[in-house]
Amino acid sequence: MEKSKVVIVGASHGGHQSILELLSRYGQNVDITLFEAGDFISFMSCGMELYLEDQVTDVNDVRNFRPENFPQPNVHILNNHEVKTINADTKTVTVTDKQKNETKEYPYDKLILSSGVKAKALPVPGNDLENVFLMRGYNWAKKIKAKLADTSVKKVAVIGAGYIGIEAVEAFAKAGKEVVLLDALERPLGPYLDKEMTDILTTQLEEKGVKVVTGAKIEAFVGDTKVEAVKTDQAEYPVELVIQAAGVVANTEWLKGVVDLDERGWIVTDEYLRTNLPDVYAVGDATLAYSIPAKTKLPIALATVARREARYVVAHLFEDIPSEPFSGVVGSSALSVFDYHFATSGLNSFTAKKAGVTLSSAYYEDTLRPKYVPAKNGNPKVFVQLFFDKLTHQILGGAVLSTYDVTAQGNVLALAIQQKMTLEDLAKADFFFQPGFDRQWSLLNLAAQQALGEEAFVE
């Protein structure tokens, strides 16, 4: 019997997971070909800060997988192969071998698109100057690493105060550079956390010597051949290096006119993650993901989302009528900002407004352990934000923050949101107690109890 031919476009999280799922479920009964336009398979950009701070074995190890991880004869992983178009009528893809400069067509029975996103270069004068960098991918990581040790680079501007921008800020500040952080929004990390927590982190950034400039519109990068300053609508900042971390755009230009895209370039999929073309599916950052708490599709560019979508697609790949729609994701992430660590899950005020969801919130702060343990002995302050439906008390989002690593609590929140738990459920949830770790009621118990207006548990 002839094997089903499955073609995958893109070697990041969605592509990797698709191979794993295909082999796990169908073994030798499928012929798998993965095309990756880049040379390196497959750099994990979320590990870039660890590489920049010498916390990894080698830059070539910061990856999702290696081609040699799949020695199976029915798996073909081809780098430097760029898929140019999809020919739905003949069920082939047109692919260019970038090294040989040869183009040929490859047949498919099923096609999984995991084309991902690319870093956004600001459309301002001077964006082609030397030392104006992007914060994404293997090649940029190596260039940025070299600048950390470059003594001629003393002043650095980071454009964008999201996760990637904050990671760049921390790496350069720790390397002894003078860093200015510029963002168009009013608060660093504003799309991820509410004001109570971003105020804490802004203070932390400033205490570490970072100049934080918000509400700034970038007008130009100034210089002759090399960048010498960043010009905003507020002021001009002299620099020797610019790191652009101002968001991403879907890598979908090659699909225009063939696969349905929305006005921002995201691939349009149905509830089964199918595109408008027969037997063509899409997963990962180039799509909008169904958000369980928002009950609508949102841009949730996370590795965890891509892997869950790939798992679903492959499980139902050969069903004429899929047995169930994709159940959706919560959207959870975590980050360290110098001495602080936070995790966030589901919706917050920013994302809820974008999604048209009305929610209520409660903010809780306390100590991690009983009051008889002094701060110097490992009893720091902890901060919790819960977001919930006012009428049903269903938990729709939340975040935790502390100098102690409480990020595992973010996974508890994610599970609570996914399972549609209420404040009442979380208030009485059965967690362990040991004074070396927490209070008689756990951190999230106490936050939910406060949100319900219960008497405060002081000690």
Side-chain angles (χ1 to χ4, degrees):
M1 187 177 79
E2 187 175 355
K3 296 180 180 180
S4 294
K5 293 180 174 63
V6 181
V7 168
I8 304 165
V9 180
S12 191
H13 298 282
H16 178 217
Q17 192 65 40
S18 293
I19 296 177
L20 291 171
E21 297 295 329
L22 286 163
L23 290 174
S24 297
R25 295 177 183 276
Y26 311 114
Q28 295 295 314
N29 294 320
V30 290
D31 186 80
I32 306 165
T33 302
L34 182 146
F35 296 111
E36 167 58 42
D39 177 64
F40 190 84
I41 293 178
S42 63
F43 188 72
M44 191 183 298
S45 288
C46 52
M48 189 184 294
E49 184 185 4
L50 294 174
Y51 162 61
L52 296 177
E53 296 182 4
D54 296 322
Q55 300 296 312
V56 302
T57 50
D58 185 83
V59 64
N60 293 309
D61 297 331
V62 185
R63 62 203 305 170
N64 288 299
F65 71 101
R66 308 166 192 270
E68 56 265 32
N69 293 152
F70 295 105
Q72 295 88 341
N74 61 322
V75 179
H76 319 283
I77 298 171
L78 304 176
N79 64 334
N80 292 306
H81 279 65
E82 185 175 0
V83 181
K84 293 292 189 178
T85 192
I86 301 169
N87 311 299
D89 52 344
T90 59
K91 295 191 75 171
T92 63
V93 288
T94 303
V95 184
T96 296
D97 182 332
K98 295 166 66 177
Q99 290 185 320
K100 296 180 180 179
N101 196 27
E102 296 176 354
T103 298
K104 62 181 291 188
E105 293 189 4
Y106 292 81
Y108 68 84
D109 295 306
K110 303 289 183 178
L111 176 59
I112 301 174
L113 304 178
S114 183
S115 55
V117 294
K118 55 187 178 182
K120 183 191 300 181
L122 293 178
V124 298
N127 66 359
D128 57 348
L129 288 172
E130 189 178 339
N131 286 351
V132 175
F133 288 4
L134 295 172
M135 182 80 171
R136 192 176 184 90
Y138 177 80
N139 292 328
W140 284 115
K142 292 177 69 176
K143 291 179 181 180
I144 293 170
K145 177 72 168 177
K147 292 300 178 181
L148 286 169
D150 187 342
T151 56
S152 69
V153 175
K154 297 179 174 61
K155 296 182 178 182
V156 179
V158 176
I159 315 295
Y163 278 36
I164 302 300
I166 294 296
E167 290 179 341
V169 164
E170 188 162 347
F172 278 98
K174 287 179 177 177
K177 310 297 185 182
E178 186 178 326
V179 182
V180 57
L181 174 62
L182 303 164
D183 196 274
L185 299 179
E186 295 303 319
R187 296 181 290 110
L189 295 165
Y192 307 97
L193 298 169
D194 273 39
K195 187 176 186 301
E196 292 89 344
M197 290 188 178
T198 59
D199 282 352
I200 295 169
L201 296 177
T202 299
T203 299
Q204 172 76 173
L205 289 165
E206 292 170 342
E207 288 176 351
K208 297 296 183 179
V210 178
K211 183 176 180 63
V212 179
V213 180
T214 57
K217 180 182 178 182
I218 309 299
E219 295 185 343
F221 301 132
V222 181
D224 293 326
T225 58
K226 293 183 178 181
V227 68
E228 298 172 6
V230 176
K231 182 182 178 183
T232 76
D233 57 343
Q234 302 174 13
E236 193 168 295
Y237 301 92
V239 295
E240 290 85 32
L241 177 69
V242 171
I243 303 294
Q244 296 186 83
V248 295
V249 293
N251 186 23
T252 55
E253 296 95 335
W254 63 285
L255 295 171
K256 286 181 179 178
V258 178
V259 172
D260 287 347
L261 309 175
D262 73 3
E263 66 279 1
R264 295 186 60 191
W266 306 111
I267 299 172
V268 176
T269 59
D270 66 9
E271 68 270 34
Y272 305 114
L273 304 188
R274 301 178 300 193
T275 70
N276 60 298
L277 299 181
D279 296 312
V280 180
Y281 304 78
V283 301
D285 294 355
T287 70
L288 299 180
Y290 180 73
S291 164
I292 293 172
K295 297 182 180 179
T296 190
K297 289 192 172 185
L298 299 174
I300 310 176
L302 295 169
T304 51
V305 173
R307 290 189 179 276
R308 282 154 180 77
E309 290 178 334
R311 183 180 179 90
Y312 166 83
V313 163
V314 173
H316 301 279
L317 196 60
F318 297 105
E319 296 176 357
D320 292 333
I321 300 175
S323 58
E324 60 181 358
F326 179 59
S327 60
V329 295
V330 172
S332 304
S333 57
L335 187 70
S336 292
V337 183
F338 292 102
D339 299 334
Y340 280 90
H341 317 282
F342 75 83
T344 180
S345 190
L347 299 176
N348 56 42
S349 295
F350 183 92
T351 53
K353 185 176 180 180
K354 288 273 189 180
V357 176
T358 300
L359 46 69
S360 296
S361 67
Y363 179 71
Y364 173 76
E365 60 179 77
D366 211 322
T367 58
L368 179 66
R369 298 162 61 192
K371 293 293 192 292
Y372 58 75
V373 180
K376 67 179 182 179
N377 290 342
N379 192 18
K381 284 187 174 182
V382 289
F383 310 91
V384 181
Q385 192 116 38
L386 296 177
F387 300 95
F388 52 93
D389 182 275
K390 184 177 181 180
L391 297 179
T392 66
H393 289 181
Q394 180 182 330
I395 300 167
L396 302 177
V400 292
L401 170 72
S402 180
T403 54
Y404 185 85
D405 187 357
V406 294
T407 53
Q409 301 279 12
N411 284 331
V412 178
L413 285 171
L415 190 60
I417 298 163
Q418 184 181 36
Q419 297 302 314
K420 301 179 181 179
M421 291 173 62
T422 63
L423 292 175
E424 288 80 2
D425 294 327
L426 189 57
K428 64 185 179 185
D430 190 3
F431 302 123
F432 77 85
F433 162 61
Q434 212 289 332
F437 297 95
D438 64 358
R439 307 276 291 283
Q440 294 95 320
W441 286 98
S442 188
L443 175 62
L444 296 180
N445 291 138
L446 292 169
Q449 289 168 13
Q450 176 180 282
L452 291 168
E454 297 182 11
E455 186 70 23
F457 188 89
V458 177
E459 296 299 321

